[in-house]
């Protein structure tokens, strides 16, 4: 296990116990790992698919986030943001946060940043100044809009899943839905597919036409 992965798992374990009981072993281990990494930024994203996209775009830009002192950590849901932010403050790791959020979950990030002393934001622009970038609906929506539905289906074909997607489109619950909605639902139907396609779609992006939240986050880092 590399150090960044160890750090990520340790922080997630620390956050899981931080709300109700102290976690001195995880806290100590996280501080030691952060020091060894020269860590200055923890990128907080809602789930593993967001992490896959951020890391895939960094790789395409020939960047090594770990070498730059940044590690991407999935929250496991937006409502956990305050718990994670508390671990990053001066009484925790003493590093700066950054990240992505979905538009519907933005309020949790605004509240969390203010409650933990990282800053007050009233608008999406304020939030970006604090290092957090908002997806219009979610990251899958941003990737689909950036590639277009035809582009996404070419990626699905490249991954060997086009026949499965066509069968999915014929299901009664899907027939009348817009193809954008079908694509988003398809990616969440099987465990691991959402993460897999977050990376695959990011790898297919035109680097000159990136989704604004992803582009803004990587530029901020």
């Amino acid at each position: 296990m590399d150090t960044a992965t160890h750090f990520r798992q340790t922080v997630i374990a620390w956050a899981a116990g931080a709300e109700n009981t102290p976690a001195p072993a995880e806290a100590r281990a996280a501080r030691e790992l952060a020091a060894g990494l020269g860590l200055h930024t923890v990128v907080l994203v809602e789930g593993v698919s967001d992490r896959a996209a951020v890391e895939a775009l960094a790789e395409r830009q020939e960047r090594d986030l770990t070498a730059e002192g940044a590690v991407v950590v999935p929250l496991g849901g937006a409502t956990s943001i305050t718990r994670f932010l508390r671990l990053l403050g001066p009484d925790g790791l003493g590093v700066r946060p950054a990240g992505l959020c979905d538009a519907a979950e933005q309020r949790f990030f605004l509240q969390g940043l203010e409650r933990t002393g990282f800053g007050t934001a009233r608008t999406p622009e304020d939030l970006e100044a604090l290092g957090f970038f908002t997806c219009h609906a979610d990251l899958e929506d941003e990737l689909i809009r950036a590639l277009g539905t035809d582009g996404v289906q070419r990626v699905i074909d490249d991954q060997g899943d086009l026949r499965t997607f066509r069968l999915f489109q014929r299901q009664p619950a899907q027939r009348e839905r817009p193809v954008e909605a079908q694509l988003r639902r398809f990616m969440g139907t099987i465990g691991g597919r959402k993460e897999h396609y977050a990376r695959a779609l990011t790898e297919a992006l035109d680097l000159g036409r990136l989704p604004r939240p992803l582009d803004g986050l990587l530029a901020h880092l």
Side-chain angles (χ1 to χ4, degrees), residues 57 139 142-143 146 205-206 209-216:
L57 182 56
L139 186 57
E142 294 283 353
L143 293 170
L205 289 171
D206 179 344
R209 299 179 58 191
L210 296 172
R212 189 176 184 279
L214 269 181
D215 192 24

Side-chain angles (χ1 to χ4, degrees), residues 144-192:
I144 291 167
R145 287 193 293 122
L147 286 165
T149 57
D150 289 344
V152 174
Q153 289 176 82
R154 283 194 292 272
V155 173
I156 290 174
D157 193 12
D158 290 343
Q159 300 299 311
D161 287 335
L162 188 59
R163 181 176 179 276
T164 303
F165 177 61
R166 295 288 182 245
L167 292 171
F168 174 79
Q169 288 181 297
R170 297 188 193 112
Q171 293 179 4
Q174 301 300 324
R175 288 174 190 163
E176 303 304 319
R177 302 184 75 194
V179 66
E180 293 87 353
Q182 292 173 342
L183 288 166
R184 288 178 65 195
R185 183 68 188 98
F186 176 74
M187 290 172 194
T189 53
I190 294 177

Side-chain angles (χ1 to χ4, degrees), residues 46-122:
E46 293 190 32
V48 294
S49 62
D50 305 279
R51 175 195 156 202
V54 172
E55 293 180 342
L57 182 56
E59 290 168 13
R60 290 200 62 200
Q61 294 178 339
E62 298 183 347
R63 295 176 58 180
D64 182 339
L65 293 182
T66 302
E68 294 178 22
V71 173
V72 185
V73 175
L75 300 169
T79 56
S80 299
I81 182 65
T82 300
R83 266 189 292 151
F84 278 84
L85 286 170
R86 287 197 179 106
L87 307 187
L88 307 186
D91 295 329
L93 297 175
V95 299
R96 69 172 183 165
L100 290 173
C101 66
D102 297 346
E105 315 297 348
Q106 190 181 79
R107 68 188 187 280
F108 296 114
F109 286 70
L110 296 171
Q111 293 167 0
L113 288 162
E114 185 167 4
R115 288 173 181 171
T116 54
F118 281 107
T120 300
R122 295 287 178 256

